């Protein structure tokens, strides 16, 4: 999410601290987007959420243009217009339930936090139905084939994703200090829902990590000698501990090979690698292993949970390792555990 340093012309200006938008009859798109950015940052929303909300609100104003809106004099924003936009997404654009819910969240935030209006029953319009889908899971043998088809840093990332059930961004945002070799744990900081948790560190990943961290020390020394700004730190830690970003423990476990400009501060830093790096590597490994299932990086997390259940771990423990708020989310994996299905098969087909 950092813009390329090589293509930047000048440092970004410091963001405006606040924009006062009253709940008048007309609002301007640029004012709303500026206020949105500031409110999200005050509430410590992630940069990815900031981008997503801004994109949906821009689409909403574009929709108002098609209905006779005029951005030069400002837009009239009402709850009815928001409901019509959500219905338009479901009926005319055929978006999925998750996509429509994402738009709903952005509009609700704009209405309540930016415009100061109560949208009423915003969700009462036409909504896309959320279907029940079983996640794609690899067998232990298939998982081994995928891992063996990978190499280098992406192999290490895949080992952590599968061995600890990490989400892709949780893996990318790991720092050197988050690895506990002695207790075989990986600490996830500010995961989904802004919650910390610990999960498993496999012996295979330990071996690869030891060599990987030694190589990181060389890159770390190179950046320090070049006078590069320290790595990005969450919230106000950079002000509280101004030198922490230049300490080795805080460095990204998977740093990018190129420098980037922080879109919020304008500082040139070394950010972590893009999620596309591991996404492409897993896809390529699945093709090389000739696995026909529709695999994504998240498949490694699904496989982790399913294999733990197959090996007798209780559901509550799996929930904690995955970081699910509700155990019903974890229960989906009980439908995929092969040992349970094979028990039923033996019961009803004893000769099978």
């Amino acid at each position: 999410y950092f813009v390329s340093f090589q293509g930047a012309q000048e440092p970004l200006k410091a963001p405006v601290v606040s924009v006062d938008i009253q709940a008048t009859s007309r609002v301007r798109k640029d004012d709303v987007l500026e206020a949105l950015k500031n409110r999200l940052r005050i509430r410590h929303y992630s940069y990815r959420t900031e981008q997503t909300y801004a994109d949906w609100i821009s689409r909403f104003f574009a929709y108002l243009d098609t209905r006779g809106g005029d951005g030069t004099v400002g837009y009239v924003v009402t709850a009815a217009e928001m409901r019509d936009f959500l219905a338009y997404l479901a009926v005319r654009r055929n978006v999925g339930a998750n996509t429509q819910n994402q738009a709903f969240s952005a509009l609700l935030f704009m209405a309540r936090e930016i415009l100061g209006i109560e949208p009423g029953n915003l969700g009462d319009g036409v909504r896309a139905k959320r279907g029940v889908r079983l996640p794609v899971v690899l067998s232990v043998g298939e998982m081994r084939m995928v891992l063996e088809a990978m190499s280098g840093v992406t192999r290490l990332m895949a080992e952590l994703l599968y061995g600890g059930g990490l989400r892709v961004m949780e893996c990318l945002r790991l720092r050197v200090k988050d690895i506990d070799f002695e207790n075989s744990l990986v600490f996830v900081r500010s995961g989904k829902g802004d919650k910390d948790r610990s999960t498993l560190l496999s012996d295979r990943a330990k071996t690869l990590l030891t060599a990987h961290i030694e190589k990181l020390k060389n890159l770390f020394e190179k950046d320090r000698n070049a006078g590069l700004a320290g790595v990005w730190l969450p919230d106000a830690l950079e002000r509280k501990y101004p030198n922490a970003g230049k300490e080795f423990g805080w460095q990204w476990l998977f740093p990018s090979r190129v420098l980037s400009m922080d879109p919020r501060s304008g500082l040139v830093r070394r950010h972590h690698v893009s999620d596309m790096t591991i996404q492409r590597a897993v896809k390529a490994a699945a093709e090389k292993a000739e696995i026909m299932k529709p695999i994504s990086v998240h498949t490694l997390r699904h496989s982790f949970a399913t294999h733990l259940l197959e090996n007798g771990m209780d559901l509550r423990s799996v929930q904690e390792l995955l970081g699910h708020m509700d155990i019903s989310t974890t229960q989906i994996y009980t439908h995929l555990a092969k040992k349970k299905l094979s028990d039923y098969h033996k019961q009803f087909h004893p000769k099978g």
Side-chain angles (χ1 to χ4, degrees):
Y1 317 112
F2 281 34
V3 297
S4 172
F5 172 52
Q6 284 77 6
Q9 299 299 318
E10 59 182 10
L12 300 180
K13 296 180 181 179
V16 178
V17 176
S18 64
V19 174
D20 185 21
I21 297 181
Q22 301 297 328
T24 57
S25 58
R26 292 183 180 272
V27 295
R28 295 184 181 276
K29 171 186 171 183
D30 290 344
D31 291 340
V32 172
L33 290 175
E34 180 71 9
L36 173 77
K37 177 185 69 175
N38 295 331
R39 293 293 177 90
L40 288 172
R41 293 183 182 183
I42 288 172
R43 289 174 172 255
H44 303 292
Y45 279 67
S46 70
Y47 186 59
R48 170 173 278 191
T49 300
E50 181 183 319
Q51 289 180 309
T52 300
Y53 278 23
D55 179 60
W56 277 117
I57 290 175
S58 294
R59 294 189 195 190
F60 171 66
F61 282 115
Y63 170 76
L64 294 182
D65 285 335
T66 67
R67 294 167 62 90
D70 186 354
T72 60
V73 298
Y75 297 92
V76 177
V77 178
T78 66
E81 295 283 7
M82 296 182 200
R83 282 194 294 270
D84 289 345
F85 177 62
L86 293 174
Y88 162 78
L89 292 177
V91 177
R92 301 292 296 275
R93 303 298 297 176
N94 296 316
V95 302
N98 288 337
T99 302
Q100 194 189 33
N101 287 335
Q102 200 176 64
F104 171 82
S105 297
L107 293 180
L108 188 63
F109 189 93
M110 176 186 70
R112 290 177 173 172
E113 301 291 334
I114 309 303
L115 303 181
I117 62 177
E118 181 54 51
N121 297 325
L122 186 58
D124 285 352
V126 177
R127 301 291 300 277
K129 285 188 176 181
R130 184 193 296 270
V132 178
R133 302 285 184 270
L134 291 177
V136 176
V137 171
L138 299 178
S139 67
V140 174
E142 288 172 330
M143 192 68 248
R144 186 181 300 112
M145 291 167 61
V146 169
L147 292 174
E148 290 176 351
M150 303 178 73
S151 61
V153 175
T154 53
R155 166 67 183 268
L156 172 56
M157 294 169 70
E159 292 280 2
L160 288 171
L161 287 160
Y162 170 61
L166 301 177
R167 299 178 179 94
V168 62
M169 294 309 300
E170 291 173 346
C171 179
L172 299 183
R173 291 170 180 161
L174 287 175
R175 300 178 190 255
V176 174
K177 67 179 183 60
D178 296 330
I179 306 300
D180 185 345
F181 285 97
E182 185 173 347
N183 295 306
S184 300
L185 294 174
V186 176
F187 289 93
V188 176
R189 310 292 183 183
S190 299
K192 191 172 182 179
D194 197 27
K195 293 184 177 181
D196 293 355
R197 75 177 192 278
S198 62
T199 187
L200 307 177
L201 175 64
S202 68
D203 291 339
R204 197 164 49 208
K206 272 188 189 180
T207 303
L208 297 173
L209 271 171
T210 301
H212 176 71
I213 290 176
E214 285 301 315
K215 292 180 181 178
L216 289 184
K217 291 179 181 178
N218 295 329
L219 181 62
F220 171 71
E221 291 299 330
K222 178 182 176 181
D223 287 349
R224 298 287 69 76
N225 292 335
L228 196 65
V231 295
W232 174 85
L233 298 177
D235 301 330
L237 277 175
E238 193 160 16
R239 291 194 300 273
K240 190 174 182 180
Y241 306 108
N243 295 320
K246 297 180 181 180
E247 295 174 1
F248 184 64
W250 280 95
Q251 303 308 299
W252 300 112
L253 193 60
F254 300 110
S256 173
R257 289 180 294 180
V258 298
L259 302 181
S260 312
M261 180 177 286
D262 187 328
R264 291 183 170 177
S265 68
L267 293 175
V268 177
R269 308 180 188 271
R270 190 177 298 281
H271 197 46
H272 59 66
V273 295
S274 166
D275 61 317
M276 293 306 298
T277 302
I278 184 62
Q279 298 278 9
R280 294 192 187 104
V282 169
K283 286 281 188 183
E287 291 179 5
K288 185 176 180 181
E290 298 183 346
I291 294 175
M292 299 297 106
K293 295 177 181 178
I295 295 174
S296 69
V297 173
H298 213 61
T299 303
L300 277 60
R301 176 175 162 88
H302 294 322
S303 302
F304 163 81
T306 305
H307 296 165
L308 287 181
L309 290 173
E310 289 178 347
N311 282 281
M313 181 174 283
D314 64 276
L315 195 64
R316 182 72 180 182
S317 296
V318 175
Q319 178 195 4
E320 292 179 357
L321 292 174
L322 292 174
H324 287 159
M325 293 182 62
D326 194 326
I327 199 167
S328 64
T329 307
T330 317
Q331 285 175 333
I332 191 71
Y333 299 110
T334 62
H335 299 289
L336 301 169
K338 191 171 68 175
K339 285 187 178 180
K340 183 177 179 180
L341 292 176
S342 64
D343 288 343
Y344 284 126
H345 186 273
K346 291 177 182 178
Q347 179 181 350
F348 293 107
H349 305 280
K351 296 182 180 179

